[in-house]
Amino acid sequence: MNDVQTQEDLYKIVDSFYKKLFADDRISYIFTEVMPIHLKLEEHLQMLVKFWSQSILGTGGYVNNLTQIHLDVDLKSHLTKELFEIWLHHFENAINEQYQGINCERMKNQAHNLSIIMQIKITQQNSK
């Protein structure tokens, strides 16, 4: 298996990842009911490719506020630790099924770090 090297590789990962999320009843409602991205899925996938491309490949182009997006979702439906664990599980599987290498490990490590940061920010928001 090859390492992630292009935006096309990243697209394959995020596309596979979202297929897994939509198929999992424990978390799919976040993406179909709370924040119905399924209506604009291609646009959402392209945004994620930009995020990971900037982060892993150094291409730039991601301008959204990742933290605020998740805080807004949490206000509509609480994002629990269990939801983040499901998210990480599917994300890692989407990577591991198709790729391996240093960029893959960087993506998985960053996803874990983002999960922790988001949970801390959500806790702070909810304790106000």
Side-chain angles (χ1 to χ4, degrees), residues 32-115:
T32 59
E33 297 169 29
V34 178
M35 296 296 285
I37 63 160
H38 68 290
L39 301 175
K40 296 182 178 182
L41 183 58
E42 187 58 35
E43 182 181 317
H44 186 72
L45 295 179
Q46 291 300 328
M47 180 184 66
L48 292 173
V49 168
K50 281 184 184 177
F51 171 81
W52 286 109
S53 182
Q54 177 171 295
S55 178
I56 301 302
L57 305 177
T59 58
Y62 183 80
V63 295
N64 297 60
N65 183 333
L66 184 66
T67 301
Q68 192 59 53
I69 291 168
H70 288 83
L71 291 174
D72 292 346
V73 172
D74 182 72
L75 290 174
K76 294 181 178 190
S77 181
H78 182 55
L79 298 176
T80 64
K81 180 180 181 185
E82 292 74 28
L83 288 171
F84 279 100
E85 289 170 356
I86 294 165
W87 182 90
L88 285 169
H89 171 76
H90 289 310
F91 187 72
E92 287 187 356
N93 282 346
I95 294 171
N96 292 337
E97 290 170 359
Q98 303 175 74
Y99 298 94
Q100 66 180 16
I102 189 77
N103 285 341
C104 297
E105 295 308 311
R106 289 175 57 212
M107 285 180 76
K108 291 184 276 187
N109 286 337
Q110 185 167 347
H112 278 271
N113 291 339
L114 288 170
S115 171

